[in-house]
Amino acid sequence: MIQTSPSFPDWHGTTILAVRKDGRTVIAGDGQVSMGATIVKGAARKVRTLAGGKVLAGFAGATADAFTLIERLEAKLEQYPDQLARACVDLAKDWRTDRYLRRLEAMLLVADKDAIFTVTGVGDVLEPEYGVAAVGSGGNYALAAARALIDNTDMDAEAVARRAMAIAADICVYTNGNLTVEILGGGRA
């Protein structure tokens, strides 16, 4: 049986990647669900659209915990329409201070047409410097690949995300190539 480490976050079982380029925002997530060394599902959907299609969210960690957090985020987005940063900060504050919520073990990548945020249960709301963010066990592989591709190729945001996720799936045993990809924004800005 796998024990959850108190050194949150230390996830094994997913890769979520967000990429912003040329006016487009993409969040891609793999479909693998692992229980220890066993793959129990290969086509899970870990990326969602929120706020009437204006916001994308992907999650890593305990699925039920992530769904709870996404529901809370949706409520914050209703409370603060078109204010993603404020909704994320408010969620992180609640997550850190509420006795029930602080036990939840998940991480969120959240994006709209203008920004990407990583939201954690330790109170972090981080906006990436280079228009790329990733979470999960394969997150560092996908992040490195996307950072290399985003400025050094003519690939659009979706192509960068798909290629970076393929690289992560080739390296991380907890990541597969069965992707869910959600996109915001039109052509080149």
Side-chain angles (χ1 to χ4, degrees):
M1 176 177 248
I2 292 181
Q3 296 289 322
T4 302
S5 170
S7 62
F8 173 80
D10 184 22
W11 305 119
H12 298 288
T14 201
T15 302
I16 305 294
L17 173 67
V19 176
R20 279 195 39 72
K21 184 177 181 182
D22 298 328
R24 296 185 96 191
T25 302
V26 175
I27 294 186
D30 78 309
Q32 184 166 307
V33 177
S34 303
M35 187 177 300
T38 304
I39 298 169
V40 294
K41 187 171 184 177
R45 247 182 97 72
K46 303 172 201 170
V47 178
R48 304 275 191 266
T49 58
L50 310 174
K54 294 180 183 178
V55 174
L56 304 177
F59 62 86
T63 305
D65 292 357
F67 285 159
T68 299
L69 292 167
I70 286 174
E71 286 175 5
R72 296 284 180 124
L73 177 60
E74 284 185 298
K76 297 294 182 188
L77 290 167
E78 287 176 13
Q79 186 177 357
Y80 306 115
D82 299 322
Q83 297 179 60
L84 182 60
R86 184 171 182 185
C88 288
V89 168
D90 213 40
L91 174 65
K93 182 176 71 171
D94 289 353
W95 192 354
R96 184 176 168 93
T97 59
D98 183 273
R99 284 183 82 176
Y100 168 72
L101 291 179
R102 75 174 157 234
R103 297 178 195 271
L104 300 181
E105 297 182 349
M107 292 181 76
L108 300 177
L109 270 186
V110 183
D112 65 8
K113 64 182 179 56
D114 299 316
I116 297 170
F117 297 102
T118 303
V119 185
T120 74
V122 294
D124 296 321
V125 177
L126 305 169
E127 187 171 11
E129 292 180 315
Y130 303 102
V132 179
V135 295
S137 59
N140 287 337
Y141 307 118
L143 179 65
R147 290 263 318 264
L149 293 168
I150 199 162
D151 291 328
N152 299 311
T153 68
D154 290 332
M155 296 172 137
D156 66 9
E158 181 182 1
V160 167
R162 287 183 182 279
R163 182 67 186 122
M165 289 294 289
I167 290 168
D170 285 346
I171 298 169
C172 178
V173 297
Y174 295 105
T175 303
N176 71 14
N178 190 350
L179 301 181
T180 300
V181 178
E182 295 289 347
I183 304 166
L184 292 176
R188 299 194 177 269

